[in-house]
Amino acid sequence: MSTTDTDTATGSGTEHGAAGPADARELGAAGAQLSTAPAEDMSVPSMGPIGWARWFWRQLTSMRVALLLLFLLSLGAIPGSLIPQTGIDPVKADNFKQRHETLTPVYEKLGLFHVYSSVWFSAIYILLFVSLIGCIVPRTWQFVGQLRSRPPGAPRRLTRLPAYTTWRTEAEPEQVREAAQRILRRRRFRAHTVGDAVASEKGYLREAGNLLFHIALIVMLVAFAVGQLYKAEGGKLIVEGDGFANNLTQYDDFKSGTLFDKNDLAPFGFTLDRFTATYERSGPQKRTPRTFRADVTYWEGADGKEHKTSIKVNEPLEVAGSKVYLLGHGYAPVVTVRDGQGRVAYRGAVASLPIDGVNLTENVVVKVPDYRDKNGKKDQLGFQGQFVPTLDLSTGTMFSQFPALDNPALILTAYRGDLGVDGGIPQNVYQLDTSRMKQFKKSDGSPFAKVLRVGDSMKLPGGAGTLKLEGIKTWATFQISHRPGNDYALVGAVAALIGLAASLFIQRRRVWIRAVTGDDGVTVVEMAGLGRSESAKLPEELADLAVALQSEAPPAPDPEPDPASADPETGTAEAGTDTDTADTDTAETDTAGTDTAQPADPSEGARA
């Protein structure tokens, strides 16, 4: 099979493989609409509000701006991941503010403590949403129009296309075209006959994948917006043996979206039966949790059946359209406080917040508002100190050395006076205001404090009462989250990946097969291909199609040279009889109808 080189001397390298302005005119509709991407006009508009508005809209709906906004949205999410967010973990955000007093005012002005609800993040989000819709809608209608239309007819000169081959055959032109149409359709080309050539096209799913990718981005943006508007989430600290009911009064903290109705909280609840945590005790991963599991009993509905399950990190409990995530854990010393008359004034587990996130040293506060001294006079007590899971006095510090309960101890001091709980102002249960209280003193005037083990008691000076450490329970913190847009976001993410894969790996291309009767009465077959972009696979595919077609249109033998055209002096045929000199810039050989075409060899490929 004889092949010809593509004519690239006149400026190939355009998107469609066309050679230049002259070639673009010759290709006409054959090289048009291989993509639904609109032509981006960067020219400055004429002065006037309408002109500037049109120019701004064209720039906003261009794919370049959409990608830029998507990149900015990704950059904007970085501080939301690195800086503690007040809406997710207010305690950690407050600790960050205390440690970084210089950066805090700057971060607050920039809205970095609430990135996803900040003005600048919302502006990027809305602009990206508008840009994608303005870009996708016209491209979708254009693509639908292309699907309903047929591939365009062959250009006048197929030799100008990136991949080209030709041979001569004794089969009739009509038979060649019918065979070509059958072969193309078997290979899933859309094919039809236009004049003396068969026009075909394949790879429409590339544009479908491109559109699917961007539509999926819109679905994800909508899902994110719905999730923010209708979300409801809150946190709850639960001690072993206690439970939770999905009621607004049960939450330690609660926040919801603008359109969420608090009366729509789904009826469900659960009880923390047991919490289990084990840690690595040696090696570079010492103190790393190995087991982190909350065993719970949950129910759905007011009279729902109880079920037992376990909640682990990244394995939430899904119930009634909500998810219950396990966030952290700590220890709750169980204490009994008796007043000056020996009566129980307080008994229960005291959940405490860790001040050391690695070894779980906790700040402990016990408030006893209902207290009477030995004379029966009403008063109030307050205890403050630390709970240490593993105390090692040899280290010279009162901080824990390991997160497990290897050597637990409760270190407390005591105050008496006004706790401030009767003033009607809400207080933090994990903090003790000692501004109106006096600390108990020893006989020598030093502050009163004691280290307690399980079973030990602390007697207050002057017969003011006692505090006994009865035992230790474990608590766990949970986040109860209701986000209705998560399922749609997942569908959008999967669709985006499918669309991206289709747009990257599917090549859209067109193939034309022309069969005409030559001057010597033998059929001349021309095949050419055009892709949206230069692809090494296009010549290979064209060669494969040519080999398949040659089974029904085999190459004809070469014609005998005409002795009358030989030069009497040299004995050779005159060269250049079929030279195409239409292009003054570059001489190019048009082999569509030459008499020197060799029989086609199936092992040869079309060369670009």
Side-chain angles (χ1 to χ4, degrees):
M1 175 172 64
S2 64
T3 59
T4 64
D5 291 339
T6 303
D7 180 10
T8 59
T10 55
S12 65
T14 61
E15 179 185 6
H16 300 299
D23 294 340
R25 288 193 297 270
E26 289 190 5
L27 290 178
Q33 294 185 346
L34 271 173
S35 170
T36 58
E40 296 186 9
D41 184 11
M42 298 299 293
S43 60
V44 179
S46 59
M47 298 302 294
I50 297 179
W52 280 107
R54 289 178 178 175
W55 180 85
F56 177 78
W57 177 252
R58 285 197 298 267
Q59 304 313 310
L60 179 61
T61 57
S62 66
M63 195 56 62
R64 180 187 295 108
V65 173
L67 292 176
L68 178 61
L69 291 172
L70 185 61
F71 177 69
L72 291 178
L73 196 70
S74 302
L75 288 181
I78 293 177
S81 301
L82 299 179
I83 301 174
Q85 302 294 290
T86 55
I88 298 176
D89 195 338
V91 176
K92 186 177 293 185
D94 291 339
N95 293 335
F96 182 90
K97 294 178 181 179
Q98 294 176 2
R99 295 194 307 268
H100 304 84
E101 296 181 356
T102 303
L103 291 176
T104 296
V106 179
Y107 284 5
E108 288 180 342
K109 290 183 179 179
L110 295 177
L112 298 184
F113 291 112
H114 48 90
V115 170
Y116 304 111
S117 59
S118 62
V119 176
W120 58 269
F121 191 86
S122 300
I124 297 175
Y125 178 87
I126 295 174
L127 285 176
L128 176 60
F129 189 81
V130 174
S131 177
L132 287 174
I133 293 179
C135 180
I136 293 302
V137 171
R139 292 186 65 172
T140 301
W141 286 115
Q142 183 180 353
F143 181 62
V144 172
Q146 291 181 17
L147 290 177
R148 299 178 62 182
S149 63
R150 291 185 171 187
R156 184 172 61 86
R157 302 183 62 187
L158 294 179
T159 55
R160 291 187 177 275
L161 299 184
Y164 174 82
T165 189
T166 182
W167 73 90
R168 303 166 67 250
T169 183
E170 294 181 352
E172 295 296 328
E174 184 176 353
Q175 296 177 352
V176 174
R177 290 192 290 268
E178 291 178 355
Q181 193 166 351
R182 289 195 303 271
I183 292 173
L184 289 169
R185 286 179 175 174
R186 283 201 301 265
R187 303 193 178 208
R188 299 188 300 276
F189 279 84
R190 297 177 59 194
H192 71 117
T193 301
V194 182
D196 58 0
V198 176
S200 64
E201 188 167 0
K202 188 178 182 180
Y204 282 87
L205 288 179
R206 176 188 178 92
E207 289 302 319
N210 190 17
L211 293 174
L212 176 63
F213 172 75
H214 294 92
I215 292 173
L217 289 182
I218 296 178
V219 172
M220 293 175 64
L221 291 175
V222 172
F224 181 76
V226 170
Q228 290 296 314
L229 292 174
Y230 291 93
K231 73 174 182 179
E233 59 184 13
K236 179 64 175 179
L237 186 151
I238 304 176
V239 180
E240 283 180 330
D242 294 343
F244 166 81
N246 193 28
N247 186 281
L248 190 60
T249 60
Q250 292 281 301
Y251 285 91
D252 294 333
D253 60 87
F254 182 85
K255 54 184 177 296
S256 61
T258 306
L259 302 181
F260 180 80
D261 187 354
K262 296 179 176 59
N263 295 322
D264 294 336
L265 288 171
F268 71 89
F270 63 93
T271 300
L272 178 60
D273 300 327
R274 178 181 176 84
F275 185 87
T276 304
T278 60
Y279 304 89
E280 187 68 35
R281 292 189 171 272
S282 61
Q285 295 186 338
K286 184 178 180 181
R287 302 180 181 86
T288 302
R290 291 306 181 195
T291 304
F292 208 78
R293 183 184 71 249
D295 298 322
V296 300
T297 299
Y298 72 95
W299 61 90
E300 182 177 354
D303 300 319
K305 183 179 179 181
E306 293 186 347
H307 304 274
K308 291 186 178 295
T309 188
S310 296
I311 305 176
K312 301 178 183 178
V313 177
N314 298 325
E315 296 182 17
L317 166 66
E318 298 187 25
V319 54
S322 299
K323 291 185 178 181
V324 182
Y325 296 91
L326 175 62
L327 299 183
H329 94 105
Y331 300 104
V334 180
V335 300
T336 299
V337 179
R338 295 182 180 274
D339 60 17
Q341 296 181 336
R343 292 179 298 186
V344 176
Y346 178 89
R347 176 179 289 167
V350 182
S352 308
L353 296 182
I355 57 177
D356 174 11
V358 177
N359 294 314
L360 297 183
T361 301
E362 297 180 346
N363 179 51
V364 178
V365 172
V366 181
K367 298 180 182 181
V368 186
D370 298 325
Y371 166 81
R372 293 179 182 272
D373 61 16
K374 61 181 180 180
N375 299 321
K377 183 179 179 181
K378 289 186 177 181
D379 202 352
Q380 294 179 346
L381 293 181
F383 298 87
Q384 186 175 21
Q386 294 180 179
F387 175 77
V388 184
T390 301
L391 179 64
D392 187 356
L393 296 177
S394 64
T395 61
T397 177
M398 303 300 288
F399 284 85
S400 178
Q401 303 302 308
F402 197 75
L405 294 173
D406 291 347
N407 185 24
L410 179 61
I411 306 148
L412 288 179
T413 186
Y415 298 83
R416 68 186 306 170
D418 185 7
L419 292 172
V421 297
D422 299 328
I425 301 176
Q427 284 192 352
N428 189 336
V429 296
Y430 303 108
Q431 294 180 353
L432 180 64
D433 183 8
T434 60
S435 60
R436 291 169 291 183
M437 305 186 75
K438 292 182 179 181
Q439 188 176 16
F440 283 92
K441 303 290 185 178
K442 296 181 180 178
S443 58
D444 59 359
S446 60
F448 175 80
K450 190 172 181 178
V451 177
L452 302 176
R453 312 286 183 175
V454 176
D456 292 347
S457 297
M458 179 175 68
K459 293 183 179 181
L460 299 178
T466 60
L467 180 145
K468 183 179 179 181
L469 178 59
E470 304 282 0
I472 301 169
K473 289 187 176 182
T474 303
W475 57 258
T477 53
F478 299 89
Q479 177 178 316
I480 298 90
S481 178
H482 174 72
R483 290 179 177 268
N486 285 350
D487 294 339
Y488 298 101
L490 177 60
V491 172
V494 174
L497 292 177
I498 295 174
L500 182 62
S503 64
L504 290 177
F505 298 110
I506 297 177
Q507 296 294 326
R508 188 174 177 184
R509 62 272 193 201
R510 290 170 179 165
V511 173
W512 292 274
I513 302 178
R514 175 175 286 151
V516 295
T517 303
D519 295 337
D520 57 354
V522 180
T523 301
V524 177
V525 181
E526 288 184 290
M527 295 183 65
L530 177 66
R532 184 186 173 197
S533 58
E534 297 294 343
S535 172
K537 294 183 179 180
L538 182 61
E540 298 176 5
E541 185 174 26
L542 191 69
D544 190 29
L545 289 171
V547 172
L549 182 59
Q550 284 176 10
S551 62
E552 301 191 36
D558 289 339
E560 296 294 334
D562 187 0
S565 62
D567 191 328
E569 296 183 0
T570 62
T572 59
E574 295 182 4
T577 58
D578 288 328
T579 303
D580 182 5
T581 59
D583 192 336
T584 59
D585 293 334
T586 304
E588 55 189 13
T589 303
D590 186 355
T591 61
T594 62
D595 292 336
T596 60
Q598 299 296 323
D601 184 355
S603 63
E604 293 191 44
R607 293 182 297 174

